[in-house]
Amino acid sequence: MYQNYMNFLRNRLVMLGLMLLATLLLYLLLPSIRQDNMEPSNEARIGPPILNVSIRTGQLPGDPPLFFREALPVDREGQQILPKLQMVLLHGQAFTSKTWEELGTMAVLAANGYQALAMDLPGYGKSPDSEALKTEQNRVDLISRFMESLGVRAAVLLSPSMSGHYSIPFLMKNSAQLRGYIPIAPVGTRSYSAQHYKKIQTPTLIVFGALDTNLGAQSHKNLIQLPNHEVLKLEGARHACYMDKPHEFHRGLIKFLDKLKQDI
């Protein structure tokens, strides 16, 4: 009888050990199982899903001819809708209009109800260079020609780095044509005084990378003289901050545009 009792006790201990081991394994595996079954956080989404957003290309005649890409706004079902605002996207020296397509910026804009028009500036991408653009006024006229030719009447102008040679003079001379301005560490901000900046009422989102201690910091110092401005500082990002932090950039971009839309 003693032997039977010991065998019973041993079996109970083995069963108890197996139950404890199973409980421990379940405890360790639950977090990963729960994470795998969770839907993405709403914070990871930028507006509605990007469905059926197509990018078309074209070329405007003139001196010089201008190559461009366009994404038309769509609703949640991917059906084309009237744009809330029209975005004109310029580019930096190392980039072209294709940058905004590859980064997903044009699709994000279209999926959130905004028309996106990205231009190859003269001498970049598929737009030939021209001697006719050596003066500031000619560069201003080029932006005006681009907008007028494509029927842009509610323009928000986005301008990184080198393209400040075009956008800053345009802002100073034709700010009434803009619903908004989004400079991303642009060149040319030192060419104007505080009095020039203070006259501009265009809503502006100043974007720069925290690691851009040269042009980013310099342009920020000058542009904050604009009376109607907000600042988007992208932590851990360099000069081309939108490339380093595309999600944060797109989120800040849509937030700014949605606010502009409400004021129309």
Side-chain angles (χ1 to χ4, degrees), residues 147-178:
M147 292 181 180
E148 291 170 4
S149 298
L150 293 174
V152 178
R153 293 180 175 82
V156 178
L157 182 61
L158 184 147
S159 172
S161 195
M162 173 277 298
S163 66
H165 283 311
Y166 292 81
S167 70
I168 297 291
F170 188 89
L171 178 72
M172 292 297 167
K173 296 185 177 185
N174 293 355
S175 63
Q177 296 182 29
L178 295 177

Side-chain angles (χ1 to χ4, degrees), residues 45-55 70-85 87 100 104-116 250 253-254 257-258 261:
R45 300 179 184 140
I46 305 172
I50 299 174
L51 301 173
N52 300 326
V53 174
S54 59
I55 311 294
E70 179 182 26
L72 294 172
V74 294
D75 60 18
R76 289 179 178 272
E77 285 71 43
Q79 299 300 311
Q80 187 176 322
I81 58 175
L82 292 174
K84 301 171 183 176
L85 288 169
M87 279 286 300
W100 301 119
T105 306
M106 298 185 73
V108 167
L109 288 168
N112 281 274
Y114 301 103
Q115 181 183 6
H250 289 152
L253 177 63
I254 296 303
L257 293 175
D258 286 348
K261 175 195 65 178

Side-chain angles (χ1 to χ4, degrees), residues 67 69 91 95-101 106 118-120:
F67 178 85
R69 301 171 195 272
H91 60 80
F95 307 102
T96 67
S97 64
K98 191 170 182 61
T99 302
W100 301 119
E101 179 179 353
M106 298 185 73
M119 177 203 314
D120 279 358

